[in-house]
Amino acid sequence: MKQQENPQRLPPGQQLVAPGKWPYVGEREPAFSDRPWSLSIEGAVKQPHRFSIPDLLALSQTKKRVDIHCVTRWSKFDAQFSGVLLTDLLAICGVMPDARFVSFEARSDRQHSSSLPLQDARDLEVLLATHFEGEPLAKEHGGPLRGVVPGRYFYKSVKWVERILLMPVDQLGYWESASGYHNVADPWREQRYISGSISKREAEVLMGSRDFRNRDLLSIDVSHRDLTGLRAERAIMRNANLENARLMESRFCEANLSNACFKDADLRNVSFLKADLEGVDFSGADLRSADLSGASLFGASFCQVDAKGVVSRVARFDQSTKIDDESIAALTALQQQVVNDLKRTGRSL
Ligand SMILES: Nc1nc2c(c(=O)[nH]1)N[C@H]1C(S)=C(S)[C@@H](COP(=O)(O)O)O[C@H]1N2
Ligand SMILES: [Mo]
């Protein structure tokens, strides 16, 4: 099997979404408000400004083709955004000499934000986008106004931006402080996560108990362990390493496993009911009689694909492996093909 991807253009560990697809990630809508939309620029600037959407549209418009790379391993090439360049807005406000960082803050119930070094924001030509492919940006994708940061994982591109704050010292954003996301986020250096949330000792004790329920276990390493019957309902195990682990009969219902590695793991009879499996690597895993009903699978993979498009280490399914058609539709075209073959035949072709 071949996939039409240019390996030089796809950062390591990423896969292309099916053509025309653009997943929604994170919040789906801004916080409710009666106030008309405006963007204010504040902090270390000579003259703070507030721009309405018509004010922004009256400024010089910039069109940009951007390759989107989400930290959960899906990428989308050639997304065409247009709007106003951050540097144009900063020129209007005048930046103070002590400004070193810039934070983008959303009109959001959880006060979502993300920050960048000011120099990076200038070098990367950050855009405040109002349009996608010539149409006003959909609300779910951050309309009426979102940041677009080319060359960084997409979590740096804040949806529903209403405040831009210039700062002498950095202030970590929402994902960066709450979920261990890397603050630089360069996809070419795979800067996805910082290190884990618990010590090696604590991890040993937990592995002995085989009870991970409701725990925050970012980046935990249980590779090559025998944890048969593990209870991990609602555990937060983003970026966990479970390569080659023996996990028969384990329960990961409603767990957050985004970007976890299950390469070659024994997952027979495991329940992943309603789990977040975005970006998970199941290549070579044994998923016979596993239940993935209701799981979210954007960016997940069930086999390895090399730079030439050659498929290897395909996962194992049997007739009782459960996976919804809707979940399969979220996979890349090639992964969809592999999973549909697995579902039909109970094994790899
Ligand atoms: N306000 C806000 N902005 C956000 C997020 C969010 O949850 N809230 N998620 C980030 C992440 S992780 C990604 S991948 C992109 C997703 O944008 P999309 O839903 O338009 O694909 O938005 C980023 N900006
Ligand atoms: Mo993301």
Side-chain angles (χ1 to χ4, degrees), residues 70-104:
C70 177
V71 70
T72 58
R73 299 181 187 275
W74 60 265
S75 294
K76 174 181 174 63
F77 289 160
D78 289 323
Q80 205 196 72
F81 292 100
S82 59
V84 180
L85 283 174
L86 175 67
T87 48
D88 290 348
L89 296 176
L90 294 181
I92 294 171
C93 301
V95 175
M96 304 278 267
D98 65 339
R100 293 279 180 281
F101 297 89
V102 53
S103 177
F104 302 86

Side-chain angles (χ1 to χ4, degrees), residues 38-327:
S38 68
L39 172 68
S40 59
I41 303 196
E42 299 168 27
V45 288
K46 292 178 182 137
Q47 184 64 63
H49 268 73
R50 185 184 288 266
F51 301 90
S52 67
I53 298 295
D55 291 342
L56 293 174
L57 293 174
L59 296 171
S60 157
Q61 301 295 297
T62 299
K63 218 183 248 182
K64 261 187 173 303
R65 267 181 195 289
V66 175
D67 289 351
I68 295 174
H69 306 300
C70 177
V71 70
T72 58
R73 299 181 187 275
W74 60 265
S75 294
K76 174 181 174 63
F77 289 160
D78 289 323
Q80 205 196 72
F81 292 100
S82 59
V84 180
L85 283 174
L86 175 67
T87 48
D88 290 348
L89 296 176
L90 294 181
I92 294 171
C93 301
V95 175
M96 304 278 267
D98 65 339
R100 293 279 180 281
F101 297 89
V102 53
S103 177
F104 302 86
E105 300 175 6
R107 179 183 287 188
S108 120
D109 288 325
R110 64 182 186 205
Q111 296 182 304
H112 197 97
S113 69
S114 192
S115 68
L116 289 171
L118 183 57
Q119 193 56 51
D120 288 1
R122 293 188 188 283
D123 295 345
L124 297 166
E125 301 183 9
V126 171
L127 192 68
L128 281 307
T130 51
H131 287 72
F132 171 73
E133 319 257 280
E135 300 288 333
L137 193 57
K139 182 181 72 181
E140 292 85 346
H141 284 307
L145 188 70
R146 82 174 295 162
V148 172
V149 181
R152 292 290 179 263
Y153 285 124
F154 209 35
Y155 58 85
K156 291 289 175 184
S157 295
V158 172
K159 306 196 270 194
W160 317 295
V161 183
E162 66 167 4
R163 195 163 91 113
I164 293 177
L165 188 63
L166 280 289
M167 314 174 294
V169 285
D170 200 7
Q171 177 184 305
L172 285 184
Y174 180 84
W175 294 124
E176 294 87 340
S177 60
S179 304
Y181 283 45
H182 200 289
N183 196 30
V184 179
D186 181 347
W188 297 99
R189 290 187 280 166
E190 277 213 85
Q191 293 169 322
R192 298 178 198 272
Y193 297 93
I194 53 166
S195 54
S197 45
I198 58 163
S199 70
K200 280 210 158 68
R201 275 186 74 98
E202 288 172 289
E204 286 301 332
V205 173
L206 268 176
M207 282 188 262
S209 76
R210 294 195 191 187
D211 186 355
F212 287 11
R213 281 176 291 177
N214 302 302
R215 300 292 302 251
D216 181 353
L217 303 170
L218 173 73
S219 303
I220 192 172
D221 185 352
V222 303
S223 56
H224 303 276
R225 297 298 188 110
D226 183 350
L227 291 174
T228 302
L230 178 71
R231 304 294 304 272
E233 291 94 330
R234 289 172 302 281
I236 297 171
M237 296 176 67
R238 285 198 182 86
N239 201 42
N241 182 5
L242 305 107
E243 179 167 355
N244 230 303
R246 294 174 61 187
L247 294 161
M248 275 169 67
E249 316 283 343
S250 295
R251 307 183 62 79
F252 291 96
C253 314
E254 294 179 53
N256 186 333
L257 289 156
S258 57
N259 281 345
C261 172
F262 282 101
K263 263 185 216 168
D264 298 327
D266 187 344
L267 301 173
R268 284 175 289 164
N269 284 304
V270 168
S271 174
F272 289 106
L273 199 69
K274 294 189 188 159
D276 182 339
L277 300 177
E278 297 184 3
V280 163
D281 185 351
F282 282 120
S283 56
D286 190 342
L287 284 161
R288 285 178 289 170
S289 304
D291 186 356
L292 286 73
S293 305
S296 170
L297 282 169
F298 266 108
S301 50
F302 292 83
C303 64
Q304 268 177 9
V305 185
D306 71 11
K308 295 198 182 98
V310 177
V311 167
S312 61
R313 276 173 105 172
V314 180
R316 277 185 86 167
F317 279 30
D318 64 13
Q319 301 301 336
S320 28
T321 302
K322 281 195 201 135
I323 176 167
D324 303 332
D325 288 340
E326 205 185 309
S327 307

